[in-house]
């Protein structure tokens, strides 16, 4: 069970802070069922997740894990879907998000970066998917490294250029 103040990864929503652990407090909801009240690092609103939920939740990686991930980025293969049918490409990347893995997020970013640069026309869907992967990855790295989310990309570049 997580504690108030913990930073966790919640499903495919990225980093959230556990703001409260309490019943929902709305009519019709059980007063005995506890929920995590989760505030996302990026975006607005509150997520409510039952404490006993099957939804994927884990602690944010440690600083050491973040540094090891960054060091391994050059070795992570890009996730490239060789099928150009829209629904197949979309499904391919959706499955990678379901892995809840930072390595998968790096592979998505690298693969879509190649896909976008190889195409002559812009793909709003590819750019949106790449932004989502970057936001999730950078969100977790920012918390693990203790830096602002907008500093993560430069931090990675500096580490990899050494």
């Amino acid at each position: 069970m997580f504690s108030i103040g913990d930073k966790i990864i919640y499903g495919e929503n990225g980093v959230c802070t556990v703001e409260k652990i309490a019943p929902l407090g709305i009519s019709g909801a059980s007063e005995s069922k506890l929920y995590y009240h989760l505030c996302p690092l990026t975006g607005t609103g509150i997520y409510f997740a039952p404490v006993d939920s099957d939804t994927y939740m884990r602690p944010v990686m440690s600083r050491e894990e973040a540094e090891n991930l960054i060091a391994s980025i050059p070795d992570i293969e890009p996730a490239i879907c060789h099928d150009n049918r829209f629904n197949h490409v979309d499904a391919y990347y959706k499955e990678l998000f379901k892995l809840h893995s930072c390595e998968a997020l790096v592979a998505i970013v690298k693969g879509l970066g190649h896909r976008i640069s190889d195409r002559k026309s812009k793909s709003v869907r590819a750019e949106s998917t790449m932004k989502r992967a970057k936001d999730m990855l950078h969100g977790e790295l920012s918390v693990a490294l203790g830096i602002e989310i907008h500093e993560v990309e430069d931090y990675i570049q500096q580490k990899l250029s050494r």
Side-chain angles (χ1 to χ4, degrees):
M1 186 162 159
F2 299 108
S3 301
I4 294 171
D6 285 352
K7 304 268 192 242
I8 66 169
I9 301 301
Y10 173 57
E12 295 175 37
N13 299 296
V15 177
C16 292
T17 302
V18 178
E19 295 289 324
K20 183 163 62 167
I21 303 170
L24 282 179
I26 58 174
S27 69
S30 170
E31 286 298 313
S32 63
K33 187 164 178 84
L34 292 178
Y35 288 80
Y36 292 117
H37 296 230
L38 304 170
C39 181
L41 179 69
T42 58
T44 59
I46 298 281
Y47 299 117
F48 301 99
V51 169
D52 59 357
S53 172
D54 288 339
T55 302
Y56 183 83
M57 291 184 258
R58 67 168 170 80
V60 168
M61 73 174 88
S62 68
R63 181 178 190 90
E64 181 180 354
E65 290 169 323
E67 295 289 359
N68 289 338
L69 173 71
I70 291 168
S72 73
I73 287 175
D75 299 324
I76 296 173
E77 290 295 319
I80 299 172
C81 181
H82 298 287
D83 188 328
N84 286 322
R85 290 175 286 184
F86 171 78
N87 57 336
H88 289 215
V89 173
D90 200 40
Y92 176 79
Y93 289 108
K94 280 182 180 178
E95 287 303 310
L96 289 172
F97 277 106
K98 289 180 185 176
L99 296 174
H100 307 289
S101 151
C102 289
E103 290 82 357
L105 295 174
V106 170
I108 291 168
V109 171
K110 289 173 88 172
L112 286 173
H114 291 305
R115 186 176 186 89
I116 291 167
S117 67
D118 289 348
R119 294 192 170 255
K120 297 194 182 356
S121 62
K122 293 261 186 203
S123 167
V124 173
R125 184 61 149 224
E127 289 175 358
S128 173
T129 301
M130 187 163 78
K131 180 183 180 335
R132 180 174 167 227
K134 273 187 173 183
D135 287 349
M136 290 176 69
L137 178 65
H138 291 180
E140 184 164 5
L141 288 172
S142 75
V143 171
L145 297 168
I147 61 177
E148 296 295 321
I149 196 167
H150 67 271
E151 298 173 323
V152 171
E153 198 150 349
D154 286 341
Y155 184 90
I156 292 170
Q157 292 300 326
Q158 288 173 359
K159 286 289 186 174
L160 294 179
S161 66
R162 291 183 185 165

